[in-house]
Amino acid sequence: MHASITLFAEVALCSDSKLFLDHLLADGYTDVRFIDAMTNNIDDENLERMLREEQAPDIIGCTAITPSIYKAESTMALAKRLHPNAVTVLG
């Protein structure tokens, strides 16, 4: 299976994130890109540019803690606007 997944974090990676990525790779997802917008101070303009560069991802996921939920929602809305056929997951 070849699938493209783009993951965004509005918070830094937690220990479960590596386990999650390991499972994706084990399940055959060979094209996984992780963008940590908060840690790397990626502003909205650059995040949009990065999303535009993605080649038709199958799944776009975003994680957020309660204080950043609105930012995460707007990130996912942008992702869906740019890649309407991608499954979006917020959690």
Side-chain angles (χ1 to χ4, degrees), residues 3 16 32 35-36 45 49-50 60 73 81 91:
D16 290 338
V32 178
I35 301 169
D36 193 338
E45 183 178 313
R49 179 187 53 75
M50 294 169 87
I60 301 173
E73 286 176 335
R81 181 172 53 84

Side-chain angles (χ1 to χ4, degrees), residues 74-87:
S74 68
T75 297
M76 294 311 290
L78 172 65
K80 196 62 165 175
R81 181 172 53 84
L82 296 174
H83 299 288
N85 294 324
V87 173

Side-chain angles (χ1 to χ4, degrees), residues 39-52:
T39 300
N40 295 311
N41 297 314
I42 299 171
D43 62 21
D44 291 343
E45 183 178 313
N46 283 317
L47 183 58
E48 181 170 349
R49 179 187 53 75
M50 294 169 87
L51 272 171
R52 285 185 188 281

Side-chain angles (χ1 to χ4, degrees), residues 53-85:
E53 292 172 356
E54 292 298 312
Q55 299 297 313
D58 298 302
I59 301 169
I60 301 173
C62 183
T63 186
I65 56 174
T66 303
S68 65
I69 191 68
Y70 298 115
K71 179 65 176 167
E73 286 176 335
S74 68
T75 297
M76 294 311 290
L78 172 65
K80 196 62 165 175
R81 181 172 53 84
L82 296 174
H83 299 288
N85 294 324

